[in-house]
Amino acid sequence: MNPAQHTEYFSPGRGAHLVFVGAPGSGKSTVGSLVAERLGLPFADVDSVIEHRTGQPVAEIFADQGEPAFRALEVATTVELLRQPGVLSLGGGAVTSAEIRDALRGHRVVWLQVSVGQAARRVGLNEARPLLLGNVRGQLIKLLAARTPLYAGVASITVDTDAHDVDAVVDSIVASVTELGQNVATDAVTTIEVTAERPYQVLVGHGLLDRLPGLCGDQARRVAVIHPPTLVGLAERVVSTLAAAGLEPVRIDVPDAEGAKTAAVAANCWSVLGSAGFTRSDAVIGLGGGATTDLAGFVAATWLRGVRLVTVPTSVLGMVDAAVGGKTGINTPEGKNLVGCFYEPAGVLCDLDVLQTLPVADLVGGLAEVIKCGFIADPEILRLVQADPDGVRTAGSPVLREVIERSIQVKATVVSGDLRESTSTGSQVGRELLNYGHTLGHAIERREHYRWRHGEAVSVGMVFAAELSRLAGRLDPKVAARHAQLLQLVGLPVRYRAGVLDELLATMALDKKTRGSTLRFVVLDDIARASILEGPSRELIAAAYDSIAARPSP
Ligand SMILES: NC(=O)c1ccc[n+]([C@@H]2O[C@H](COP(=O)([O-])OP(=O)(O)OC[C@H]3O[C@@H](n4cnc5c(N)ncnc54)[C@H](O)[C@@H]3O)[C@@H](O)[C@H]2O)c1
Ligand SMILES: [Zn+2]
């Protein structure tokens, strides 16, 4: 399956969905059909569709074939109906199926909340079985206790139906969706699929943190939230959301940035998980920039040989690069990322609202990877950056969102084709494509003792790689020149000091040991057409370096 990208809007005619969930007696069918009527959208009720198709009432299917057979039919029907535009009302127990909860991601889900007393009254009245009220009430108490966290995990709108009559409930839902519908750009949730051993989705949108409980898996009870001190407020919000959904969150505050990526910090996380009694079925959330998600991934991969991992990247670099693709790791005194493993997350949640607090310099650092994605795979990114450089530097802008989504799509496509970085051989470029600009970039980072941001070093490294491509006679000089233009436009550095090439080459030679015996550079033959330049001559490298070396000031 190829990675696919689909954006859902709440707007008629665009494959949109408003999905109603809730306990028996919450009024899903009544409210759902009235809301659909008011919005002029088609309406379907999953149970009614099943009854119509099988010619049997749901209760009879339960009795004749058993609950598992009914649930299987329910999953298939729900998934099918979710692909069609309109308003859909699910069965009361639908959220107990993990497949349905997964299928609901990216849809606008309305949870109609109802108390046991009210639900029992409505069910009793509807079914005209007042004598069963005692039993119905007992069953409802059990059902609501088990399902409340599941409803909370999938809902993006929650409406209390107890205190209001049907008309008032319908009014409030119509008002909230039409208000959101006016701002399609911020209301949409984009889902990007990553094909892996266990495929997963990257969700991008605003206000998505409330979806975290739903991503923790139906088995999880305890959830560790690993975060840096800078994000303690956000972590506390996440912890309350998880607790409200009936989970047992454990907050683990780790040092900021690279300070988190050490064996000592990982060991500390393991001991917190151990003391809290984390089992195989519990989950770890990495909430932070790339450093935090790299550490959290490593901890999740190693605890009990692997527990569920959800990454919530909070930096642009984390969203477009670190949190997607399954590489986890920590540093050792000998170098960066020397210890780690491939471990895919169960889901990645990119809530664009969290970027509001990201320092601009960090945001701009992440744009180097965005522009890289433009050059290696998606020229539209380059056009967008050129057309609105201020916009892409601004958290909350639609253009930043678009370039982030496009970059995640590029990364998803590349890693889906080469999960373990193994198909890059000879002149064939697999996942190594993502290393465009990184060979020199890594050497600069190291020479600067990691005081430069990763993206800043990669920015210079890309200008160098483009020069190398041009001097090797592969790349049009205009395309090479466009690198420095675009990177400078957003405020990234494009030069590095003169006279240190030998030092940098020595570092690159060390780096290359991880790959083979000759120095390899990812170069471009054109935009979106990369290849490998293996063992270029010292003269060629020196000439390319010369064109990026900072001239001493007069
Ligand atoms: N696993 C991978 O595939 C992969 C890919 C690229 C980079 N990385 C790793 O990612 C790391 C770099 O990522 P990064 O640039 O996100 O660095 P980072 O995690 O160090 O974050 C940069 C700074 O921004 C702060 N920050 C993050 N989000 C914030 C927010 N929303 N509000 C306020 N402050 C916020 C952090 O606390 C930190 O001080 C490196 O360790 C690198 O090795 C991993
Ligand atoms: Zn990078």
Side-chain angles (χ1 to χ4, degrees), residues 317 321 369 372 434 438 442 454 458:
L317 189 120
D321 201 351
E369 302 284 2
K372 176 194 80 180
L434 299 168
H438 282 57
H442 284 151
H454 176 70
V458 167

Side-chain angles (χ1 to χ4, degrees), residues 224-294:
V225 182
I226 299 182
H227 68 90
T230 32
L231 297 174
V232 67
L234 192 63
E236 275 166 358
R237 236 180 83 200
V238 165
V239 160
S240 341
T241 307
L242 296 170
L247 293 157
E248 291 172 26
V250 177
R251 201 162 58 70
I252 309 183
D253 197 328
V254 295
D256 195 34
E258 293 301 306
K261 288 176 65 170
T262 69
V265 174
N268 183 49
C269 293
W270 292 324
S271 83
V272 174
L273 300 184
S275 331
F278 267 64
T279 68
R280 244 354 233 285
S281 52
D282 292 326
V284 169
I285 293 176
L287 174 77
T292 313
T293 53
D294 272 11

